[in-house]
Amino acid sequence: MFKEDALEGKRILVTGGGSGLGKEMSKHFLSHGAEVIICGRRDSVLKETEKELAKTTKGKISSFSLDIRDSLAIEEAIDSVFASGGLDGLVNNAAGNFISRTKDLSSNAFNAIASIVFHGTFNMTNSVGKKWIEMKTPGNILSITTTWVWTGSPFVVPSAMSKSGINAMTKSLAVEWGPHNIRLNCIAPGPFPTEGAWSRLSPETENNEGALDQSSMSSNPMGRVGEMSELGNLATFLMSDGCDYLTGQTIAIDGAAYLSAGGTFASLGKLNDEDWTNIRETIKKSNEKDKNLRNTK
Ligand code: HXC
């Protein structure tokens, strides 16, 4: 879809880059010429991913462990990333989430999510942004949110609230940091199955097949989950040059799932030709009845 050198010369830091969506986006960036730095909490996972992606993409990749709940550790880490060769892009991908009835959540449970998603993403963004402003260099920030920023979502309230905060941050800083040539956008992915997210959001129990299992995707207008290459392509587009005027936006990539849930007639997608013929006849009859009534007056 893109030229192989679409991201040539760019140095991109991906949080949570050792697994899941972060790993997939990193693979795409490396395949398109970027140098990628991945960080996350588990050093062994990072090292394994680093080795695998270096081999499969032949790109330049490095890693360091970082818990984005620790704001001091973030400052130190960002200092050393800039000291080792600067930075062109940041991808805020690291997140934490689990499904639970909200009434069962303790304040610790809320903080377990908010400290990563809400506080951690802000601290990463501000640490990197401050450097770019100080150095008078342009920058590009991509944050991974969800479509819940528009719809809200039951049973994942700490995540929906925190991701909505990232959405607000992105729009606010696009304006505040636009004069510094720093742009910020979000991708709001729908269901892209990953081991980390699915084990916490779609756990299978005796009476529950898992809320996000493949069969439940029949309600998705496109009838399927997302493919990683589709997410990787969108992320590559947003991290590349050529559309630098694009900032402050959140782009959903979900097969129109969130729009269909909101539309009054979304369920009509299941009707067949015969149903539609019958519906047309019924409406026609009703129109004729109205016309007759008007004519008799
Ligand atoms: C209720 C729970 C709970 C649960 C934990 N807690 N799990 N409460 N239901 N299922 C409570 C605990 O009792 C405790 O509160 C508090 O939360 C902290 O628990 P810990 O076990 O110490 O949690 P912690 O080690 O901080 O781990 C939580 C986590 C972890 C950080 C969120 O699951 C994690 O590492 N996740 C990273 C990967 C991940 O979640 N990926 C999914 C992202 S997907 P008390 O009061 O007892 O102390 C995503 C969007 C997907 O973001 C969009 C799909 C469409």
Side-chain angles (χ1 to χ4, degrees):
M1 183 169 172
F2 302 105
K3 286 185 188 157
E4 270 177 24
D5 62 355
L7 297 176
E8 192 81 56
K10 298 215 177 290
R11 202 163 189 246
I12 301 172
L13 172 62
V14 182
T15 67
S19 58
L21 305 186
K23 180 178 171 183
E24 294 297 328
M25 288 187 285
S26 298
K27 189 158 85 181
H28 269 252
F29 299 155
L30 287 160
S31 307
H32 291 88
E35 177 186 341
V36 174
I37 309 163
I38 54 174
C39 64
R41 281 178 293 173
R42 296 166 298 170
D43 203 45
S44 59
V45 173
L46 291 168
K47 289 284 170 281
E48 211 163 288
T49 297
E50 188 186 327
K51 221 162 64 188
E52 181 192 323
L53 296 189
K55 203 169 145 197
T56 52
T57 67
K58 311 271 179 274
K60 188 172 176 197
I61 177 168
S62 57
S63 70
F64 62 88
S65 54
L66 173 68
D67 185 338
I68 65 165
R69 290 177 290 196
D70 182 344
S71 57
L72 283 180
I74 288 180
E75 293 286 339
E76 276 171 26
I78 297 306
D79 277 348
S80 77
V81 165
F82 274 83
S84 68
L87 195 69
D88 303 284
L90 165 68
V91 178
N92 287 316
N93 164 74
N97 202 358
F98 50 75
I99 50 169
S100 168
R101 293 184 301 187
T102 305
K103 73 179 186 62
D104 297 337
L105 293 174
S106 64
S107 61
N108 268 350
F110 181 86
N111 288 338
I113 309 300
S115 61
I116 302 174
V117 183
F118 189 72
H119 294 270
T121 304
F122 171 76
N123 288 327
M124 283 301 295
T125 301
N126 207 24
S127 289
V128 170
K130 276 192 285 194
K131 287 274 182 202
W132 283 330
I133 292 168
E134 197 181 291
M135 295 163 66
K136 297 188 180 6
T137 53
N140 188 355
I141 299 177
L142 171 62
S143 299
I144 305 303
T145 59
T146 75
T147 55
W148 311 331
V149 303
W150 297 299
T151 60
S153 184
F155 307 110
V156 282
V157 168
S159 170
M161 288 172 68
S162 300
K163 296 277 191 186
S164 299
I166 301 176
N167 197 42
M169 177 191 78
T170 297
K171 293 188 185 309
S172 310
L173 289 181
V175 178
E176 190 175 327
W177 289 355
H180 301 290
N181 266 324
I182 298 171
R183 64 190 186 105
L184 301 95
N185 292 291
C186 297
I187 294 178
F192 282 80
T194 63
E195 206 276 322
W198 256 230
S199 61
R200 294 169 179 97
L201 298 176
S202 192
E204 288 179 27
T205 60
E206 213 180 318
N207 299 317
N208 174 22
E209 227 186 300
L212 298 168
D213 68 304
Q214 184 62 44
S215 63
S216 73
M217 285 307 132
S218 57
S219 62
N220 183 297
M222 299 192 89
R224 64 173 176 89
V225 295
E227 281 171 24
M228 288 301 178
S229 60
E230 296 170 320
L231 180 77
N233 284 333
L234 179 57
T236 300
F237 166 69
L238 289 171
M239 295 313 287
S240 63
D241 298 327
C243 282
D244 289 350
Y245 211 41
L246 200 171
T247 187
Q249 302 305 307
T250 297
I251 302 175
I253 177 164
D254 71 340
Y258 94 92
L259 293 172
S260 75
T264 313
F265 301 111
S267 62
L268 301 191
K270 294 191 188 106
L271 302 187
N272 59 27
D273 287 349
E274 196 187 336
D275 293 327
W276 281 113
T277 307
N278 291 338
I279 284 172
R280 198 177 173 140
E281 281 307 312
T282 308
I283 295 172
K284 211 167 139 191
K285 272 186 204 144
S286 165
N287 289 345
E288 275 160 13
K289 203 169 139 199
D290 274 3
K291 245 189 255 166
N292 290 340
L293 273 175
R294 275 198 299 271
N295 289 342
T296 52
K297 270 188 189 167

